[in-house]
Amino acid sequence: MFRNKEIRRIAILYCIIVSAATAAGFKIGIMAGVLELLSACLLGIIFYVFTRARYQKIAQLSEQIDLVLHNSEHLYISEAEEGELSILQSEIVKMTLRIREQNDALKRDKKYLADSLADISHQLRTPLTSVNILLSLLEKGTEKKEQKALIREAGGLFDQMDFLLTSLLKLSRLDAGIVIFKQERINMSHLLSASLCPFLISMELHNIQIQTDIPKEAEISGDFRWLSEAFQNLIKNSIESVGDNGRIEILCVDNPIFTEITFHDDGAGFGEEDLPHLFERFYRGKDADATGYGIGLALCRTIIMHQGGTIAAQNALQGGAVFVVRFPK
């Protein structure tokens, strides 16, 4: 306590005042001097006890803060009585809680980054290994016909890697918040027509029937290009699910509260264990024959959520998978 310069100065000043007052008291009379000395001693003891108690509380608070800073498992700071110390302690508790939350968030982000890098590395390693095998076969000198087939296969693998890297770049930009979405009125019929356009030839070749029911007046607010990409991912997922001779149904419900778009296919649907994880990145399902990189649905959800919408997946009662996208008015 006496290491504090202010306390030492106050003590010295107090002793000078007490000495002067006591001397003046003894000049008046012995009883007056004794009374003055006893009063000064009593006041000094009270001041010492009170100040020492406050310093002990401050020291205890300092020790607890030190524990919080150096021990990740400790987060308890005992409550103080009402007063300035209690207010200070309350603010320190709020600060430590906020720091702990930020620290936990940083740990989660670090783990997520590490897992993502591991997944990306794994996803890229497979096509790169295949390309290396193809190149080694070409080096051995094969027939011209076989060389063309190997080159086409290598080109397909490079296309897969390009798709993966492009999708990951888009996800990274969305996560970083550097994408600025346009807010424009979008006609749902126009949006779905543009989304279906890249798949029309493929659906015709595989004899996939498509049925749509979109009110002409149905509109939403958002970014046409990004929403078109999200819907293309859903359509692509449905096409892969139904296979040849399949059927896809796209319905739209528009009311004063929300606009809802439903994508329903007559494929095999989802496994119950897969439903909670469908929109997780790099999740490919429990099925050993699952194809793709498990990134399309994650990108789709991110785009829709960034524009105020929601997306959910479920199995239809009559069979097949259902994706429900909803935009509130």
Side-chain angles (χ1 to χ4, degrees), residues 59-221:
Q60 182 183 8
L61 184 60
S62 177
E63 291 177 0
Q64 292 173 349
I65 292 173
D66 187 67
L67 283 174
V68 170
L69 292 175
H70 296 89
N71 186 353
S72 60
E73 301 299 325
H74 185 89
L75 190 59
Y76 174 72
I77 297 179
S78 60
E79 296 182 358
E81 297 177 357
E82 293 185 3
E84 294 179 357
L85 278 180
S86 177
I87 296 173
L88 174 62
Q89 190 165 347
S90 176
E91 293 302 318
I92 291 174
V93 170
K94 292 178 184 177
M95 181 186 68
T96 54
L97 287 172
R98 191 175 295 114
I99 292 173
R100 181 59 51 82
E101 290 173 357
Q102 292 175 351
N103 187 41
D104 291 341
L106 287 173
K107 287 181 179 179
R108 288 194 299 269
D109 290 343
K110 184 177 180 180
K111 184 179 183 302
Y112 171 76
L113 179 60
D115 293 342
S116 296
L117 289 174
D119 287 330
I120 293 169
S121 175
H122 174 73
Q123 296 289 354
L124 288 175
R125 188 180 294 114
T126 301
L128 281 174
T129 302
S130 300
V131 169
N132 286 328
I133 294 173
L134 293 175
L135 290 176
S136 64
L137 291 175
L138 287 171
E139 286 179 352
K140 292 180 180 179
T142 55
E143 295 182 2
K144 191 172 183 179
K145 186 177 181 181
E146 293 179 353
Q147 288 180 350
K148 289 183 178 180
L150 293 174
I151 291 172
R152 282 197 302 270
E153 189 174 349
L157 292 170
F158 281 119
D159 288 339
Q160 291 178 17
M161 287 187 286
D162 179 69
F163 166 78
L164 176 60
L165 292 173
T166 301
S167 299
L168 290 171
L169 179 60
K170 290 176 181 177
L171 276 172
S172 299
R173 291 177 62 203
L174 290 169
D175 287 342
I178 61 176
V179 176
I180 300 176
F181 291 103
K182 296 179 180 178
Q183 289 298 319
E184 53 189 349
R185 298 304 300 172
I186 302 174
N187 180 270
M188 287 305 304
S189 180
H190 184 200
L191 176 61
L192 286 170
S193 296
S195 303
L196 282 167
C197 187
F199 305 103
L200 293 177
I201 295 176
S202 175
M203 288 190 294
E204 184 176 353
L205 291 174
H206 293 278
N207 193 30
I208 298 175
Q209 298 180 7
I210 181 76
Q211 179 181 350
T212 61
D213 185 5
I214 313 296
K216 293 182 179 180
E217 68 280 2
E219 289 186 345
I220 60 174
S221 178

Side-chain angles (χ1 to χ4, degrees), residues 242-267:
V242 298
D244 294 338
N245 305 313
R247 185 171 180 272
I248 301 172
E249 186 178 29
I250 303 175
L251 306 176
C252 178
V253 175
D254 187 58
N255 59 49
I257 302 176
F258 58 80
T259 300
E260 183 178 273
I261 309 96
T262 304
F263 298 80
H264 177 210
D265 63 64
D266 63 353

